[in-house]
Amino acid sequence: MNFPKLAFLAAAALVIPAWPAAAVSSEDPPGALAGGEFVVSFSGTPEAATSAIAAAGGTVKDVTSQVGVALVTAPDGAFLDKVRAGTGIRGAARNHSVGLGRQGMPHRYSGERLDAAERAQAGDAGKAGSLSTNGPGAEPLSDLQWNMDMIDATPDGAWEKATGKGVDVGIMDTGIDARHPDIAPNFDAKRSRNFTTDIPDVDGPCEYKDCKDPANVDDGGHGTHVAGIVAAADNDFGIGGVAPDATLVNVRAGQDSGYFFLYETVKALVYSGDIHLDVVNMSFFTDPWLYNCTSRDEYVSGTVTDAQLIEQRLVSELVLGAVTYASDRGVTLIAAAGNEHSDLAAPTRSDEISPDYPADAAQPRVVKKTCLNLPSEAPQVINVSAVGPSGTKAEYSNYGFGDIEIAAPGGWFRDYVGTPQFQSPGNLILSSYPLQAAIEQGLADPKGNPVDGFSIKYCDDGKCGFYTYSHGTSMASPHVVGVAALIIQARGKSTGQGGRALDPATVARVLLRTADDHACPAGGVEDYTDEGLTPDWNATCQGTTGNNGLYGEGIVDAEDAVD
């Protein structure tokens, strides 16, 4: 069996080469001279780095000494050239820029929630108010969870052997709403952390002192949806997660708006390793670059400034180093492959959105495959593609032989074309959602009632929970995370006090070897033109039934994984 990305990196200190300082030029994007937050990588002691940063005009806000990186504020962009010349400084780049965003910038995850026009296409199937009933022993909304049936994460399937008890799962996302009735029983408030600070320009007005949300809050909603897929509790309320007894730990790295900036991402990864989480879900890429190049030779078309190239190099080095740090400490890392319907195995990659911050900075480019989407393409990370309820790769999902390890339910609105199920809510993934976020995003009215059949409000014994349908590879990866938690409980060793642990390489091997094989389509191309899409959405499938570019080693199977 082939595990193309499981050649794990040997434990080693993160080494970042020294790069020549890049003067700000007329080629640099708007705001290049502005102050803001910066990430500084250093090779010496934190004290020596702090001195070098201060001499360059910066102020240290935080230090993650485990991988030699500091978060710094400075009044202007000239700080970068100055600090790069400092003794013991390996590199520096912007984290994000104050005052360069704008409210109303597209939310990272807006595409995973259908817009009003798409919801209207559902017709009668999209009207509010209908709920299903279930058999004995099931959660009240389990009849709406085709995804759990597909992977055998059910009471008479995998749960007969494991439910995730004693396994700690990190959700690296926009936060977790710990007040949700399906989340609260499994939420670990003591170890949860929020590594972000709200940026009013893009996140909206700050709700808490110093713009720092508590670790039990999710104003964006995405993280709570992901958390529910992994471990919504088996509590006779709402839905059930893949691993309904796993412990949920919020290791928040995402802004309310869905941006994941460099320092926050590195900090969350390092913390996950330090507290020895068992498995972590990562449904994002590190902003502002969809793909991170390390040399001009990797640009096929488009332009790049010295400053932009240095920034991409630093993202690559620091994220890869932080991933290694977490993996070396026993964390199984699983990520969404992305929703750009791109062939990640192709020699080149088209990128229309980078840099996606600050506003209006995007410069279309074509780059070589060696420019990485991070963290999903780090060698220790299991990369997950998405399928709809028919088991077919969803049109939006990225793919690529050697890049996709495994597939999982992510939902697909256009699945079952030519049948009544086409463009219906039931083709998507139902999971938990913060009520306030639902109201603010127009999924619920001011009284908290769903505006259509794409959301559900479930109430019992005086308490209510809000749930909504979404689709995306963000929904696929938490299914694999939940199965990883089941594997760790079933096959891992006791750590004392009820905990379990299992080497990430072993978890990966079990996941891939027990996945259900899924062959390439007849003719070798998944054709989406019947669904009303143009031919550029079609996906060429390379490989065999046992391992190919659309489904990797197959669709994750919870029951076989713990049998």
Side-chain angles (χ1 to χ4, degrees):
M1 181 156 302
N2 181 31
F3 300 96
K5 283 175 57 185
L6 297 184
F8 282 63
L9 296 179
L14 175 62
V15 177
I16 298 179
W19 303 310
V24 175
S25 71
S26 59
E27 296 180 350
D28 286 301
L33 294 173
E37 282 192 353
F38 302 87
V39 179
V40 177
S41 175
F42 57 88
S43 58
T45 65
E47 293 77 15
T50 299
S51 296
I53 290 165
T59 301
V60 174
K61 292 183 62 179
D62 191 58
V63 174
T64 303
S65 58
Q66 298 94 321
V67 291
V69 62
L71 181 66
V72 176
T73 58
D76 58 66
F79 164 78
L80 284 172
D81 283 344
K82 296 175 182 177
V83 76
R84 287 172 187 149
T87 302
I89 301 300
R90 296 184 302 202
R94 289 188 178 277
N95 197 43
H96 60 75
S97 305
V98 174
L100 293 179
R102 65 163 186 268
Q103 291 187 25
M105 288 178 70
H107 191 287
R108 161 67 54 78
Y109 299 114
S110 59
E112 294 176 346
R113 299 190 304 270
L114 302 185
D115 60 28
E118 291 173 310
R119 295 199 302 269
Q121 293 172 355
D124 289 342
K127 293 180 179 178
S130 60
L131 296 181
S132 299
T133 57
N134 336 274
E139 292 294 273
L141 300 181
S142 63
D143 277 2
L144 305 178
Q145 294 185 275
W146 59 266
N147 45 317
M148 299 301 169
D149 289 334
M150 175 180 281
I151 68 171
D152 292 322
T154 59
D156 58 354
W159 296 351
E160 289 186 341
K161 298 289 182 67
T163 58
K165 188 174 181 60
V167 180
D168 298 326
V169 178
I171 305 297
M172 193 177 301
D173 214 288
T174 61
I176 299 178
D177 178 12
R179 297 163 295 184
H180 194 288
D182 253 334
I183 298 296
N186 292 334
F187 185 74
D188 184 339
K190 184 176 181 180
R191 290 185 295 166
S192 289
R193 298 287 186 274
N194 172 20
F195 298 108
T196 72
T197 300
D198 285 353
I199 306 170
D201 284 338
V202 293
D203 296 320
C206 298
E207 299 91 350
Y208 297 91
K209 183 181 179 181
D210 299 326
C211 293
K212 193 80 172 179
D213 294 343
N216 62 351
V217 167
D218 178 15
D219 292 327
H222 189 269
T224 301
H225 199 276
V226 165
I229 296 170
V230 175
D234 181 12
N235 58 352
D236 296 321
F237 188 97
I239 64 169
V242 177
D245 289 327
T247 299
L248 291 167
V249 182
N250 180 18
V251 283
R252 178 178 168 182
Q255 304 293 136
D256 291 344
S257 53
Y259 287 101
F260 286 75
F261 294 114
L262 176 57
Y263 186 79
E264 291 81 356
T265 300
V266 170
K267 186 81 172 179
L269 281 164
V270 169
Y271 178 73
S272 297
D274 285 344
I275 65 171
H276 300 285
L277 293 178
D278 294 301
V279 56
V280 169
N281 185 82
M282 303 182 295
S283 294
F284 65 91
F285 69 84
T286 307
D287 293 287
W289 299 94
L290 178 61
Y291 304 116
N292 293 277
C293 302
T294 58
S295 76
R296 293 183 185 278
D297 292 342
E298 292 174 299
Y299 272 68
V300 177
S301 66
T303 59
V304 61
T305 67
D306 288 343
Q308 290 172 333
L309 194 58
I310 288 174
E311 183 176 72
Q312 293 175 69
R313 286 171 173 169
L314 195 63
V315 171
S316 296
E317 296 287 353
L318 291 180
V319 173
L320 289 171
V323 164
T324 299
Y325 183 91
S327 179
D328 286 349
R329 284 153 183 79
V331 184
T332 296
L333 298 162
I334 299 172
N339 302 331
E340 292 78 34
H341 63 91
S342 295
D343 182 357
L344 299 175
T348 61
R349 300 171 167 191
S350 178
D351 178 8
E352 301 291 326
I353 67 172
S354 298
D356 64 1
Y357 192 93
D360 303 320
Q363 299 171 331
R365 59 182 183 155
V366 175
V367 298
K368 293 182 180 178
K369 173 180 164 50
T370 49
C371 300
L372 299 180
N373 182 309
L374 293 170
S376 67
E377 291 190 297
Q380 301 92 332
V381 176
I382 299 168
N383 210 6
V384 184
S385 66
V387 301
S390 69
T392 302
K393 185 192 85 71
E395 95 247 349
Y396 56 78
S397 178
N398 286 348
Y399 60 100
F401 185 62
D403 280 81
I404 300 300
E405 271 84 47
I406 197 167
W412 181 21
F413 188 50
R414 293 184 177 89
D415 209 350
Y416 292 116
V417 64
T419 76
Q421 195 169 335
F422 178 65
Q423 293 185 327
S424 67
N427 285 347
L428 311 182
I429 304 295
L430 182 68
S431 190
S432 45
Y433 213 74
L435 179 58
Q436 188 58 40
I439 294 172
E440 292 175 357
Q441 294 164 13
L443 304 177
D445 65 24
K447 294 182 179 180
N449 297 311
V451 298
D452 56 30
F454 286 85
S455 297
I456 292 170
K457 183 179 181 180
Y458 179 82
C459 298
D460 184 45
D461 197 24
K463 63 180 178 181
C464 296
F466 196 87
Y467 304 84
T468 197
Y469 286 99
S470 289
H471 65 172
T473 56
S474 289
M475 284 69 248
S477 61
H479 288 86
V480 181
V481 167
V483 176
L486 301 181
I487 292 169
I488 293 166
Q489 181 194 355
R491 301 172 181 264
K493 296 180 179 180
S494 173
T495 60
Q497 300 180 336
R500 309 290 291 174
L502 189 62
D503 176 67
T506 302
V507 176
R509 282 194 293 270
V510 174
L511 278 169
L512 303 190
R513 286 173 176 168
T514 60
D516 291 334
D517 289 348
H518 194 305
C520 290
V525 176
E526 193 61 62
D527 191 325
Y528 298 107
T529 56
D530 285 345
E531 285 79 13
L533 299 171
T534 53
D536 59 297
W537 288 80
N538 294 346
T540 299
C541 184
Q542 296 178 310
T544 65
T545 297
N547 185 12
N548 59 65
L550 302 192
Y551 308 100
E553 300 277 349
I555 298 175
V556 67
D557 188 320
E559 186 173 22
D560 285 355
V562 300
D563 192 353

